[in-house]
Amino acid sequence: MNQQKTSAQLKALAKEQLLGNYGKIAGAFAVILAIYFAVFSIAYTVGMAGLLGTALVGGGQVTPTLIGSFIILFLIAMIIVALFYCMEVGLVYMALQISRGNKVEVKDVFYSFTHHPDKVLGLFFLFYFANILMSVPACAVEMIFSDEVMDFSSPIFLLYIVLYLGSIVGSIMLSLVYGLRYYFYCDHPEWKALECAKQSRLILQGQKGRFFYIYLSFIGWYFLILLSCGLALLWVGPYFFTVLANFYRDLNGEFSPVIIEAPAPEEVPLSEEAPLSDI
């Protein structure tokens, strides 16, 4: 049985692989963040201005026009997030290539846009709506029993907390079961979205504890990102994706030693019995 690599070994390997490649994948991260914040800022400013104008025209009342504006703003935000995830898949692709010793370019961050982007969007929306469905019970309780939810002594409050925590646990479980779906997509962009999700579920059977531990081991880095106002993400992001790429490859057996079987010895035919020499 092949011994799997520990989290520390995966991290050490990622640091070694990023030597000479860090600038390109960090540059790709910077491109994504710049595009995301620029587009989101413009969309947010225009959207909020539109909502404010609609609200003023309607006298501050909830009108069909105001509701329509909210829906449009929500759809625009969802499209922006979906495009961001497409670029994130490009980072997954770059991390995989780096971990395998292949060359990468900053433009590889747009990999998914030219390799069946419909598969990436399918994976995104599939799990986006799955997370929304898991939060529906808690949201329903909050909307129906809005007064009781704020009463800490009410059983409704306890029910809301249980449902809310349940949705968080459900989201974490989804991430642990299907967290490698984009890595399968990068290796097999011709596969259907559901097939990538299925293969992630299968390969992570019995490995979710290791996967969760890798996430937990980055908690200190997450705090560093917050303290640096996001600047540390330019280092932590490439590092994290490369560690996960090595984890994925480890589960796929790419680090397993290749055993070369020695050829079977050829059978030597028995020579004919030599005549006895004269005495």
Side-chain angles (χ1 to χ4, degrees):
M1 183 176 179
N2 295 321
Q3 185 177 3
Q4 293 175 326
K5 294 186 179 297
T6 65
S7 175
Q9 289 173 328
L10 294 174
K11 289 180 178 180
L13 192 59
K15 291 176 182 178
E16 181 180 347
Q17 293 161 344
L18 284 170
L19 293 176
N21 293 296
Y22 166 72
K24 292 179 180 178
I25 192 169
F29 247 98
V31 168
I32 289 180
L33 293 176
I35 293 175
Y36 178 74
F37 283 115
V39 173
F40 188 82
S41 298
I42 294 172
Y44 179 81
T45 302
V46 174
M48 291 305 295
L51 285 176
L52 181 61
T54 303
L56 290 175
V57 171
Q61 297 180 352
V62 179
T63 62
T65 304
L66 183 61
I67 295 174
S69 298
F70 268 111
I71 293 175
I72 292 174
L73 184 61
F74 171 76
L75 292 176
I76 291 175
M78 191 164 61
I79 291 172
I80 293 173
V81 173
L83 293 176
F84 174 74
Y85 268 90
C86 286
M87 289 186 286
E88 182 181 322
V89 172
L91 295 173
V92 171
Y93 172 78
M94 293 180 71
L96 266 177
Q97 297 306 310
I98 289 173
S99 71
R100 288 170 175 155
N102 299 326
K103 293 182 179 180
V104 294
E105 300 293 339
V106 174
K107 64 180 181 180
D108 290 332
V109 75
F110 301 107
Y111 171 82
S112 66
F113 289 92
T114 56
H115 293 78
H116 303 284
D118 55 306
K119 310 291 178 63
V120 178
L121 293 176
L123 287 169
F124 166 74
F125 284 112
L126 180 64
F127 291 92
Y128 180 83
F129 288 115
N131 280 288
I132 289 179
L133 286 175
M134 285 189 292
S135 65
V136 166
C139 292
V141 170
E142 185 179 10
M143 292 178 63
I144 297 172
F145 305 100
S146 57
D147 294 332
E148 290 87 342
V149 165
M150 300 305 296
D151 183 3
F152 295 164
S153 62
S154 170
I156 297 298
F157 171 75
L158 180 60
L159 175 63
Y160 171 74
I161 293 299
V162 170
L163 292 175
Y164 180 74
L165 292 177
S167 66
I168 294 177
V169 172
S171 296
I172 293 174
M173 289 304 299
L174 272 180
S175 299
L176 293 178
V177 173
Y178 300 105
L180 296 179
R181 60 191 183 275
Y182 291 132
Y183 288 86
F184 276 103
Y185 158 79
C186 289
D187 274 346
H188 307 280
E190 73 282 359
W191 283 4
K192 294 181 179 179
L194 288 177
E195 183 62 25
C196 294
K198 175 185 175 182
Q199 292 302 320
S200 176
R201 175 176 58 82
L202 292 176
I203 202 172
L204 284 168
Q205 287 181 352
Q207 301 293 333
K208 288 183 278 293
R210 287 182 67 206
F211 197 19
F212 186 56
Y213 178 78
I214 290 175
Y215 271 93
L216 286 180
S217 67
F218 276 84
I219 286 181
W221 290 108
Y222 302 149
F223 283 113
L224 180 61
I225 292 172
L226 293 175
L227 293 174
S228 64
C229 298
L231 292 178
L233 189 62
L234 294 177
W235 159 250
V236 180
Y239 178 39
F240 178 72
F241 277 108
T242 308
V243 170
L244 288 189
N246 286 324
F247 176 63
Y248 164 78
R249 294 179 60 210
D250 190 28
L251 295 182
N252 266 333
E254 292 188 38
F255 296 128
S256 301
V258 179
I259 300 175
I260 303 176
E261 296 183 359
E266 297 181 0
E267 293 185 1
V268 180
L270 295 175
S271 59
E272 296 181 357
E273 186 176 352
L276 295 174
S277 57
D278 296 333
I279 299 177

